[in-house]
């Protein structure tokens, strides 16, 4: 079955949601992410690869509508994917995140209001198979807290699958190509352009960062980073602090950089 069955790109490009997945060595998660896109409704799936050395590109070519090579860096990869997208709506999905059934219809429904330029989803953090009760409970609380914060501030993070009208995305300059906080900055630009919404559906995303660093410590650390950014820290300084990780924690390597976290 064609991924675009039920829509006519030639006659109604606004009916297409183009889902852009930035990827770098994501062979373990990419296939599930693309399948979740197919199950949610007619869409175009674009994988923007940043130079993977595993089977990521092979998997993407077998399942996505388009696979492009892009300069390494999440913002640069998402901008490159957006540049080739055919749809009137862009949705940016991390390779370790799964869209829930009904996502595409929900996006279309939200955008029936001409004042709405985009938005994001609530999030459910997935625990690893070996996680204990405390970690699982804290991940549940953290996911709800992320939704509460996003509902009040309309500052969305990449793990929340940000979506935006293509014309709005281009008019605000797309993602700023900075090492961290690109999603927070895009949210700010979207709010200036029009109304944004938080959808009730929950995307499922990896809780690996919270497990590695501890749920509460991770939330506090990410809020510390975000506050620093709003007070004038440069994205490079934020990225340096992120790489070092929160203080008083076991030395785990920093997960892939994203400003999600509560």
């Amino acid at each position: 079955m064609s991924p675009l069955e039920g829509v006519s790109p030639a006659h109604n490009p606004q009916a297409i949601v183009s889902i852009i997945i930035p990827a770098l060595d994501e062979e373990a998660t990419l296939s599930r992410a693309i399948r979740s896109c197919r199950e949610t409704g007619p869409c175009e799936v674009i994988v923007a690869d940043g130079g993977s050395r595993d089977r990521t590109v092979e998997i993407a070519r077998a399942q996505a509508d388009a696979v492009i090579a892009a300069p390494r860096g999440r913002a640069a990869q998402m901008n490159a994917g957006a540049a080739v997208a055919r749809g009137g709506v862009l949705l940016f999905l991390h390779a370790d995140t799964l869209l829930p059934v009904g996502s595409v219809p929900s996006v279309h429904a939200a955008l029936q209001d001409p004042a709405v330029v985009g938005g994001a989803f609530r999030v459910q953090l997935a625990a690893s198979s070996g996680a204990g009760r405390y970690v699982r409970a804290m991940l549940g609380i953290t996911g709800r807290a992320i939704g509460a914060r996003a509902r009040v501030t309309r500052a969305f993070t990449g793990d929340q699958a940000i979506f935006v009208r293509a014309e709005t995305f281009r008019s605000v300059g797309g993602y700023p190509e900075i090492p961290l906080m690109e999603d927070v900055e895009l949210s700010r630009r979207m709010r200036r352009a029009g109304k944004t919404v938080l959808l009730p559906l929950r995307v499922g995303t990896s809780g690996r960062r919270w497990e590695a660093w501890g749920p509460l410590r991770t939330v506090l650390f990410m809020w510390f980073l975000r506050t620093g950014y709003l007070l004038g820290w440069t994205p490079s300084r934020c990225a340096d602090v992120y790489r070092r990780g929160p203080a008083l924690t076991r030395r785990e390597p920093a997960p892939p950089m994203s400003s999600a976290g509560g």
Side-chain angles (χ1 to χ4, degrees):
M1 182 178 69
S2 167
L4 294 176
E5 182 175 337
V7 283
S8 172
H11 297 99
N12 190 15
Q14 297 304 312
I16 302 175
V17 173
S18 294
I19 301 176
I20 297 153
I21 306 176
L24 179 63
D25 297 332
E26 295 284 4
E27 65 177 7
T29 60
L30 182 60
S31 183
R32 290 184 65 209
I34 295 175
R35 284 202 303 272
S36 77
C37 298
R38 299 304 190 204
E39 292 168 358
T40 191
C43 61
E44 175 187 40
V45 178
I46 300 168
V47 174
D49 184 72
S52 295
R53 293 171 293 181
D54 61 5
R55 295 180 58 250
T56 293
V57 173
E58 177 186 344
I59 292 168
R61 285 175 177 161
Q63 295 183 260
D65 298 296
V67 183
I68 63 169
R72 182 174 300 189
R74 187 167 275 159
Q77 289 170 236
M78 291 188 289
N79 284 339
V84 302
R86 293 183 292 165
V89 181
L90 308 176
L91 189 155
F92 299 94
L93 184 72
H94 288 184
D96 62 356
T97 301
L98 305 178
L99 288 175
V101 173
S103 298
V104 166
S106 293
V107 167
H108 283 308
L111 294 176
Q112 288 298 306
D113 181 348
V116 173
V117 299
F121 294 78
R122 288 176 170 80
V123 64
Q124 181 175 356
L125 302 175
S128 65
S129 58
R133 290 184 179 179
Y134 167 75
V135 170
R136 291 178 183 276
M138 287 300 298
L139 289 179
I141 293 170
T142 301
R144 290 191 291 274
I146 292 172
R149 183 264 306 153
R151 185 172 62 252
V152 172
T153 67
R154 290 297 189 268
F156 307 127
T157 55
D159 289 339
Q160 292 180 259
I162 296 171
F163 64 91
V164 60
R165 296 184 192 272
E167 60 185 0
T168 301
F169 183 80
R170 294 174 183 125
S171 71
V172 302
Y175 277 98
E177 296 189 9
I178 53 180
L180 199 67
M181 301 294 174
E182 76 284 344
D183 42 15
V184 174
E185 183 58 34
L186 177 64
S187 296
R188 180 185 293 174
R189 295 179 181 185
M190 289 166 59
R191 292 198 305 274
R192 291 171 180 165
K195 181 181 177 182
T196 59
V197 296
L198 181 68
L199 299 183
L201 293 177
R202 295 179 183 274
V203 297
T205 193
S206 170
R208 57 186 170 177
R209 181 188 303 108
W210 289 267
E211 290 193 49
W213 287 345
L216 180 59
R217 183 179 289 115
T218 304
V219 169
L220 295 175
F221 179 59
M222 292 300 185
W223 269 105
F224 170 70
L225 277 178
R226 189 175 290 114
T227 300
Y229 178 71
L230 295 175
L231 291 177
W233 287 9
T234 65
S236 294
R237 181 180 179 185
C238 291
D240 288 341
V241 174
Y242 179 86
R243 291 188 187 97
R244 292 196 296 270
L248 303 176
T249 187
R250 66 181 187 272
R251 296 310 300 164
E252 297 281 355
M257 287 197 296
S258 167
S259 28

